[in-house]
Amino acid sequence: ALPLIVFLALVTPILAPTIAELGTSTYMRPASNEALRYSADLLAFFQPPQDQRLWGHLFQNRSEWPFGTNRYEVYFTYTALFLVGVCLFATRSLRLGTRLPQQDVLRVEMPTKRFWAACALVFFLLALGPILQINGQQVRGLFDTAVTVPMPYQLIEKIPVLNISRSPDRFDMPLTLCMAILAGYGANVLIQTWGRRVPIARRGMWLVLMVTILIAVELFPAPYPQRPAVIPAWYAEVGKQEGDFSVLELPPQDDYWHGAYRMYFQTAHERPIFGGYISREYPHPFLERTPGFQELIYADGKGDMFDSGPETWNSALAFYKVGYIVLQKTRLPDRAETPPDVSAWRQSIDRIGGERFQQIYSDEFMDVFSVPRPQRLAPFLTVGEGWGEREVGPNGSFRWMGARAFLSIQSPEPTTASLTFRVAGLGSERTMRIYHMNMQVFEGKVGALQELTVGPLSIPVGHSTIKFESPDCTISPADLGNVADQRQLSFAVLDAKLNVVGVSSNQYQSSEHPMYQRGR
């Protein structure tokens, strides 16, 4: 109980937000075929691992399995199986270990070998995944070949929180622990019964030595293949530079391996980056919500819902201290994959940076562009919560909102500005309300596409929000005849822009605000 209490105390600060995240997103849940892909084949428990160098090359059938790329190994070794067999069948004793006189040592009744055997069986069945597979083939029913043999792991896939697991073969780890207990008991039985003329300590020494040699031969991995852990030279050089700056890498991350390599390069330059990964590839909304960054990652050059230009782009890049843009031409060095076509992102860099972005380095792996800091920073809008994905139509790029949505303002100094944008309502004319810092600044009817101006607004230094609200509720395009679109929507907004008209001096502003310090 004590280890369980300590575990819960330590893991709850991580587990609680994880469970909350599961309720609002789906990226942690594996794809429909991932559990099957990362299941253990029944034959893998009895077949030498892929890296066994003595006779592993004789077992090439694994390369034809549908999950043959998985490097995780579940091989029992026949030495361990023999010891487990001795434990289970060579003695009738249920207790693991030798009974000690109660007066000498406090005796604690340990679980019997049946307990450990039952646990091993449970973990063994779970490691086989949702469908039984033998030699890469899914086992079918005897009377209905269209039905596969279900396995206990299918219950795991239906339990909330546990259903984010994607690798059934990792149940081999607790399986191995159970087998270690049983194998240890089997070794103890052999020591007690074999070679009685030899002192027991010597018997134990020879048995341990023999078992160790046999297991080493069965698993023999040498020489183990290794990859060169190359880091492009520029990353090490830029790490020596003084100053506080970040590194933006293109093309945008679309796979967790890309984030892994960029985090590895970061160990050399030790500067902030815009990406990274956990054990799942998750959304990276920052790049898709921030001007300047948006235009760099959208390969189509269509921009987003903002009417932004060089002043806005440069201000946003400077606010997040982008010192260099790295265009990675091969994505993953030293890995066999087809290099991507990066011409679209090269055009984005030219379009956003123009003559300001100077190419300072180039090799077979990447091109590096320096990003100078502008003399003046302007306030800029970013996409907040409540907006749908960017869409491109005949009038430009836009985003739909539901009942409410937010835009964020980042301002380097107290400012007075008006907000202009184009907006269209879905269906009949409906009411739109707009709030700035919880104060209502607009209410009106919106129907067909029209341009609105809101303000002037007193914008404080730092962060503030603009909230759009639809008090007339939402409607689905399916209700209007587009059966395929079930989203609940209200307004589409595009060409949003802040137009600075002067310097403000309201009570919320302070030149000591940390953003203002960064802006200067």
Side-chain angles (χ1 to χ4, degrees):
L2 181 59
L4 181 60
I5 293 172
V6 173
F7 167 77
L8 290 175
L10 294 176
V11 80
T12 297
I14 301 173
L15 184 61
T18 299
I19 295 175
E21 182 80 354
L22 277 172
T24 59
S25 61
T26 60
Y27 67 85
M28 280 189 276
R29 298 170 190 166
S32 58
N33 64 337
E34 274 194 301
L36 187 62
R37 178 185 176 190
Y38 294 116
S39 298
D41 191 290
L42 180 62
L43 200 59
F45 287 99
F46 306 96
Q47 183 171 302
Q50 299 173 85
D51 296 315
Q52 210 273 3
R53 297 302 175 191
L54 298 180
W55 53 76
H57 65 280
L58 300 177
F59 298 86
Q60 296 298 320
N61 56 322
R62 188 164 182 174
S63 62
E64 301 173 359
W65 296 353
F67 49 90
T69 57
N70 186 17
R71 303 298 297 179
Y72 193 79
E73 298 292 353
V74 297
Y75 179 50
F76 281 138
T77 76
Y78 288 94
T79 304
L81 285 175
F82 172 75
L83 294 175
V84 171
V86 171
C87 167
L88 296 177
F89 305 113
T91 175
R92 294 182 180 181
S93 175
L94 297 180
R95 295 292 172 187
L96 302 184
T98 304
R99 284 186 185 272
L100 299 173
Q102 188 170 1
Q103 64 272 20
D104 295 336
V105 178
L106 177 63
R107 187 179 66 191
V108 178
E109 293 289 350
M110 300 297 290
T112 67
K113 64 182 182 182
R114 290 176 182 173
F115 169 82
W116 295 108
C119 290
L121 178 61
V122 169
F123 293 129
F124 174 67
L125 294 175
L126 290 174
L128 293 172
I131 297 174
L132 179 61
Q133 301 177 93
I134 302 178
N135 197 23
Q137 301 297 316
Q138 299 180 14
V139 178
R140 305 283 173 171
L142 294 177
F143 304 102
D144 187 355
T145 57
V147 177
T148 55
V149 176
M151 300 297 290
Y153 186 81
Q154 292 187 11
L155 297 176
I156 300 292
E157 295 181 310
K158 295 179 172 59
I159 300 176
V161 181
L162 295 183
N163 61 3
I164 67 175
S165 172
R166 67 173 181 178
S167 300
D169 55 7
R170 292 177 183 170
F171 278 103
D172 175 64
M173 289 184 277
L175 166 60
T176 300
L177 294 176
C178 295
M179 296 213 28
I181 300 292
L182 297 172
Y185 183 53
N188 189 49
V189 171
L190 293 179
I191 293 171
Q192 296 290 336
T193 57
W194 285 10
R196 292 182 181 272
R197 295 181 180 180
V198 180
I200 191 169
R202 184 171 298 178
R203 275 182 267 163
M205 180 187 69
W206 282 109
L207 181 63
V208 168
L209 180 61
M210 181 175 63
V211 167
T212 301
I213 292 174
L214 289 175
I215 290 179
V217 170
E218 287 199 72
L219 298 175
F220 198 76
Y224 193 81
Q226 297 182 353
R227 293 184 181 274
V230 176
I231 295 180
W234 180 82
Y235 285 112
E237 291 301 318
V238 76
K240 301 175 183 177
Q241 295 184 13
E242 300 292 333
D244 183 13
F245 59 88
S246 58
V247 177
L248 173 62
E249 290 155 307
L250 297 174
Q253 176 181 331
D254 59 5
D255 182 84
Y256 67 90
W257 268 114
H258 303 149
Y261 270 78
R262 290 172 180 180
M263 291 165 67
Y264 175 55
F265 300 155
Q266 191 182 32
T267 64
H269 64 75
E270 299 183 340
R271 302 295 180 175
I273 60 175
F274 298 85
Y277 91 109
I278 55 175
S279 60
R280 302 288 191 275
E281 176 59 18
Y282 57 93
H284 301 274
F286 170 81
L287 298 177
E288 298 175 352
R289 293 180 176 181
T290 310
F293 297 88
Q294 293 174 328
E295 287 75 11
L296 285 170
I297 69 167
Y298 290 145
D300 58 8
K302 301 294 185 180
D304 208 306
M305 63 184 294
F306 302 125
D307 179 12
S308 55
E311 185 179 51
T312 302
W313 302 334
N314 295 330
S315 295
L317 293 173
F319 176 71
Y320 293 104
K321 304 180 182 179
V322 177
Y324 297 96
I325 296 174
V326 178
L327 181 62
Q328 296 177 338
K329 296 182 286 189
T330 60
R331 301 301 293 276
L332 303 180
D334 304 316
R335 289 179 66 91
E337 70 168 21
T338 303
D341 181 6
V342 298
S343 58
W345 289 283
R346 190 183 302 277
Q347 293 172 7
S348 296
I349 293 173
D350 292 340
R351 181 171 57 253
I352 300 304
E355 297 180 355
R356 292 185 66 252
F357 295 177
Q358 299 295 319
Q359 182 170 331
I360 62 169
Y361 179 84
S362 180
D363 59 22
E364 71 280 3
F365 172 58
M366 63 188 187
D367 294 334
V368 180
F369 301 83
S370 65
V371 181
R373 185 178 180 84
Q375 294 183 348
R376 178 181 178 274
L377 296 182
F380 58 90
L381 297 165
T382 62
V383 180
E385 300 298 323
W387 300 98
E389 297 295 323
R390 179 195 73 139
E391 301 179 43
V392 180
N395 294 305
S397 297
F398 64 95
R399 290 182 185 249
W400 284 103
M401 60 171 279
R404 64 186 56 82
F406 297 84
L407 293 179
S408 295
I409 303 175
Q410 303 286 2
S411 182
E413 58 185 359
T415 302
T416 300
S418 60
L419 172 68
T420 62
F421 59 96
R422 292 198 291 168
V423 59
L426 181 61
S428 59
E429 191 175 64
R430 62 180 57 243
T431 302
M432 168 180 273
R433 291 176 184 164
I434 300 177
Y435 300 82
H436 178 236
M437 299 179 64
N438 297 322
M439 296 180 58
Q440 184 173 326
V441 294
F442 175 83
E443 180 173 346
K445 293 288 186 178
V446 174
L449 182 65
Q450 62 188 88
E451 182 173 330
L452 292 179
T453 299
V454 178
L457 308 174
S458 294
I459 299 174
V461 62
H463 174 265
S464 60
T465 59
I466 296 176
K467 180 173 73 171
F468 295 77
E469 191 174 78
S470 174
D472 297 335
C473 299
T474 58
I475 188 172
S476 169
D479 298 331
L480 302 176
N482 186 356
V483 180
D485 194 342
Q486 300 289 332
R487 295 176 297 170
Q488 291 294 319
L489 307 173
S490 58
F491 301 105
V493 175
L494 65 158
D495 293 341
K497 183 179 182 180
L498 283 176
N499 299 286
V500 177
V501 295
V503 177
S504 177
S505 59
N506 66 47
Q507 59 181 331
Y508 301 105
Q509 297 150 8
S510 169
S511 61
E512 300 305 317
H513 191 283
M515 180 178 175
Y516 183 58
Q517 299 297 326
R518 287 196 296 268
R520 291 196 297 184

